[in-house]
Amino acid sequence: MSDAQAKVKVHVEKVNKSYGDNHVLRDISLDIAENEVVVMIGPSGSGKSTFLRMLNQLEMPDDGTIVVDGFNISDKSTDINKVRENIGMVFQSFNLFNNYSVLENIMLAPIETGKMDKAAAETKARQLLDTVGLSEKADVSVNSLSGGQKQRIAIARALAMEPDIMLFDEPTSALDPEMVGDVLEVMKNLAESGMTMIIVTHEMGFAKQVADRVVFFESGKIQESGAPKQVFDAPKNERLQEFLSKVMHA
Amino acid sequence: MKKILIFCIAFFAVLVTLVNIPNVSAAKPHYVITTDATYPPFDFQDKNNQYTGIDQEILKTIAKRQGFTYTLKPMSFNSATQSVSSGQADGVIAGMSITDERKEVFDFGTPYYRSGIGWAVKKGSDVKSLKDLKGKTVALKTGTSGADYALSVQKKYGFKVTYFNDSDTLYNDVINGNTQATFGDLPVIQYAVKNGTQLKVMNAKSPIEAGWYGFGVKKGDNAKLLTAFNKGFADIKADGTYDKIVAKYLGSSAATFTGNKKDNSSVLGILKSNDQAFLKGLWQTVLLTVLAIVLASIWGVFLGIMGISQVAGIRALSTTIIYIFRGLPLMVLAFFIYIGLPSVIGMKIPAFIAGLVTLILNEGAYTGAFVRGGFEAVEHGQMEAARSLGLPYGKSMRKVIMPQGLKIMIPSFVNQFIITLKDTSILSAIGILELTQTGTLIVSRNSQGFRVWAIVAAIYLIVITLLTWLSNWVEKRTRA
């Protein structure tokens, strides 16, 4: 847990979401502090991805309040584009823009949102490519990259907007096993640099190592949350115990 | 966006210049007169592609003496009469029989030619009397009194009917044996037989429902034109000009007017003697195609963007427009705009504009459907990624979704361009003198169906080949 004085970056209160009869999120409340790294685990369909996607309004809650960076994004009248500029998002399926080169992918948003001029955006992009270890790929088409490379570019693309929160939606689930390490390495470095991160993942080892807090979702509810040591070594919730016994032996 | 706008304006400017009706001296009244494109000896083209025949010479003489000018619009008989009844044209002279039914819609001038209905079969046919037509098929020309008569006795003699829009195709159908007889105006059939059409007239001496031809204007309108016609007609009747005109056409074979037979015995000869007509027809076809491709593409992309709008009402509007204009047959749409609309909006619509609008609406609907499909085919995640970075919807569309979607659509665009070119031929129905209509007119004059249609087909194939090459070149460049 982060210390009590830390600034609250994300405030979620009594959020509900249904798709037809399927009640995917039930009365979720959660606060996330600045610089905190929160990892969300749970079985498929437990609502953790839906929850993550609400934090930048890719999904709208049916009721409840979500405040990110001081903006109430559960209110439709909030200018979501401005808020999103400060929230980076990394997807399971990368979603790199197929019609641009690697460098252009990273430069597009800073230029188009008016955040940087072209020269500044390029300097930033090359610097980020260096950070993720892919400097030599600047001018290639994104379709020629491997999955692991694509995901590292996607992270660089999100960082180009200089966000202060990063959301990761199962960033390694679509990768071949030998590619996972490179991506997790980049994320680890990011966490160490002090970025506020909210990560949905099935990588338990990574969660243990990097998370400040682990949140267990099941049936649309937060069943247990706490420090990794507590959640993984001394789970209280029965469903969490069951879940851990399955994933640890898999 | 700006470039497209400039493009649009430029095209409209070109359009307006090209279809601008030539200025007419204000002193003389000017009329638009429609006629049947193929109705010898009354209306047909001579070897210089000028309209001639008994009707045309009467009209020309009267106009000169009465001091009015006119623009002649040759088309199918049916369209010719409908253009006048809908107010698109001022008068029609097309070997039109004066009937009670037509008097409801038209005011007729002094009857100018005595006619009647005749029926004919292929030379050597075993059909000897109307009774022999039982179970056979009869070829009729749409909207003619011959057709009306045939229908009135159809039950009695038990034959089937099929319809044609021009006389020449109709005669050939009977000669080829697809149909066994035809009903039509006696002098017209007799003239065709005299000029070598292999038909036999069965009632040469006893025309059925003998009646008169009349010059028609829309009922209640254009009394001035009608008065001028009647005055002029009385004049040419009195001084013998009328008799001279009739004798001139009935007394000589068609070749006198339509040119040397030698010209028609080879493809080269036909091309040579009709090169101006073919070029003009081709130009109209190309002009229609190019304008329609550009404007329909713009309209279609617009419909496609509406089709994926975030607002449900806009999506529904796009779907409805596409549904309507994709569902309407092109020809119905053309008739609706050209013949139907003017009487409602009280404004004439030139055939070229009507045809172009028809193409834009029809081809644009097809384009809209595949543009929407192309945008929808772009992975959903692309939009989410763009939006997540803070790009607004419009920018995400322009920078990420549209470039990818348009790439997917290129083959559909090429396909639609070729369809557009071919669809221009349907507009011959409203009298646009494009390539197909040009072919119809030339065949009606020289009866060389095989050679002329082979030429027309070859021209279409050449243009389509050029269009395909151009499209492939553009496609390669966008891929690079």
Side-chain angles (χ1 to χ4, degrees), chain A residues 143-161:
Chain A
N143 295 314
S144 66
L145 301 174
S146 72
Q149 291 169 335
K150 280 183 184 171
Q151 198 59 300
R152 282 186 278 159
I153 301 297
I155 293 171
R157 179 178 67 178
L159 291 173
M161 286 299 288

Side-chain angles (χ1 to χ4, degrees), chain A residues 53 56 58 81 84-85 87 89 91 95-100 108-109 112-113 157-158 161, chain B residues 379-393 395 398-401 403-404:
Chain A
R53 289 162 58 82
N56 71 346
L58 285 180
N81 295 327
R84 278 172 174 161
E85 287 181 16
I87 311 172
M89 175 105 181
F91 300 87
N95 298 340
L96 292 180
F97 303 134
N98 299 312
N99 54 322
Y100 293 113
L108 182 74
E112 292 302 330
T113 57
R157 179 178 67 178
M161 286 299 288
Chain B
E379 282 170 78
H380 191 57
Q382 297 282 314
M383 183 54 126
E384 286 196 340
R387 297 306 307 277
S388 296
L389 288 163
L391 296 186
Y393 177 83
K395 227 166 211 169
R398 281 200 305 281
K399 293 288 173 183
V400 177
I401 307 300
Q404 295 185 51

Side-chain angles (χ1 to χ4, degrees), chain B residues 126-174:
Chain B
D126 48 11
V127 174
K128 303 288 178 218
S129 75
L130 289 171
K131 288 192 185 95
D132 294 336
L133 289 175
K134 196 170 174 64
K136 302 250 177 7
T137 308
V138 168
L140 301 173
K141 188 162 174 176
T142 324
T144 59
S145 48
D148 289 345
Y149 173 74
L151 284 186
S152 73
V153 297
Q154 187 184 8
K155 266 213 184 115
K156 185 173 164 196
Y157 296 111
F159 52 79
K160 289 171 277 187
V161 298
T162 179
Y163 287 95
F164 293 88
N165 267 327
D166 75 281
S167 307
D168 200 69
T169 316
L170 186 153
Y171 295 151
N172 278 322
D173 203 66
V174 178

Side-chain angles (χ1 to χ4, degrees), chain B residues 84-85 87 89-90 105 107 217-226:
Chain B
V84 173
S85 61
D90 301 304
V105 188
D107 287 331
V217 300
K218 189 179 176 184
K219 201 173 176 66
D221 285 5
N222 276 317
K224 218 172 122 194
L225 173 59
L226 206 59

